[in-house]
């Protein structure tokens, strides 16, 4: 196996940004987690805040670049327990485990769309899955 970083094997920032762009648009149209979501926070975000989508794509791109060993640094607007942790950025959204899994499935479809090889695809999905507990933390406590 190559000892190149995941970042380099994915093709660097432009390839990562293309995947993030594609999957972020797909989430908005996904019935479970986008404009028609039963989760009021996700539904309202998807319908009422289109001006935040470019910034979200930018932040997600930085996050993937850093987590995959690239040269860019992610700095959360709502810092969590560690620099790459996501609990504060997602707490108010009250994202459930099933909603997280739906977003991961959307990411998998976008990685397939761009022909990302199986090894790199599983490593990207693994990096997301490693942060699932943080992302769904807000759904696990009473409102
Ligand atoms: C490990 C998986 C995930 C990663 C890496 C990720 C990445 C990010 C990042 C980097 C931000 C910006 C945080 C900041 O303000 O600094 C963010 C915010 C957000 N994420 Fe996620 N996310 C994940 C899971 C999810 C899921 C499952 C959803 C459900 C649809 C979601 C929807 C959102 C929304 C709506 C925002 C708020 C944007 C705003 O502030 O207006 N994310 N995410």
């Amino acid at each position: 196996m190559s000892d190149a970083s995941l970042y380099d094997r994915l093709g660097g920032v432009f390839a990562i940004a293309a995947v993030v762009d594609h999957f972020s648009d797909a989430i908005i149209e996904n019935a479970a987690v986008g404009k028609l979501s039963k989760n009021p926070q996700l539904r309202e975000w998807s319908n009422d805040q289109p001006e935040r989508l470019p910034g979200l794509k930018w932040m997600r791109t930085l996050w993937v670049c850093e987590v995959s060993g690239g040269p860019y640094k992610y700095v959360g607007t709502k810092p969590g327990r560690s620099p790459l942790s996501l609990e504060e950025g997602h707490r108010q959204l009250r994202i459930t485990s099933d909603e997280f899994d739906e977003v991961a499935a959307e990411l998998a479809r976008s990685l397939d769309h761009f022909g990302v090889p199986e090894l790199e695809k599983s490593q990207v999905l693994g990096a997301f899955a490693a942060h699932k507990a943080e992302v769904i933390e807000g759904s696990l406590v009473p409102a």
Side-chain angles (χ1 to χ4, degrees):
M1 192 177 99
S2 152
D3 55 7
S5 67
L6 175 59
Y7 171 85
D8 283 329
R9 286 180 283 119
L10 288 167
V13 61
F14 289 95
I16 290 169
V19 171
V20 170
D21 179 55
H22 187 272
F23 120 93
S24 299
D25 286 343
I27 290 171
I28 300 291
E29 301 303 328
N30 179 298
V33 291
K35 289 177 179 170
L36 299 175
S37 177
K38 284 197 260 217
N39 176 330
Q41 291 72 232
L42 292 180
R43 190 173 66 242
E44 281 157 26
W45 194 92
S46 301
N47 283 296
D48 302 346
Q49 310 214 51
E51 72 284 357
R52 290 185 78 83
L53 187 56
L56 179 55
K57 290 176 178 178
W58 160 256
M59 298 299 272
R60 281 178 173 156
T61 298
L62 281 176
W63 190 91
V64 176
C65 284
E66 182 169 354
V67 89
S68 62
Y72 302 102
K73 194 166 173 53
Y74 166 75
V75 180
T77 64
K78 298 177 188 164
R81 287 184 283 269
S82 67
L84 285 170
S85 73
L86 297 164
E87 66 277 11
E88 299 313 329
H90 295 83
R91 190 176 301 286
Q92 305 306 324
L93 297 167
R94 303 179 62 80
I95 295 166
T96 66
S97 174
D98 285 351
E99 288 162 352
F100 183 98
D101 293 346
E102 188 62 37
V103 167
E106 207 58 85
L107 174 58
R109 285 191 281 276
S110 288
L111 291 162
D112 286 342
H113 173 82
F114 288 98
V116 173
E118 282 304 316
L119 175 65
E120 285 72 23
K121 179 182 165 188
S122 71
Q123 290 177 332
V124 171
L125 292 172
F128 271 64
H131 290 262
K132 176 172 177 174
E134 296 157 11
V135 172
I136 69 170
E137 209 174 279
S139 73
L140 302 178
V141 290

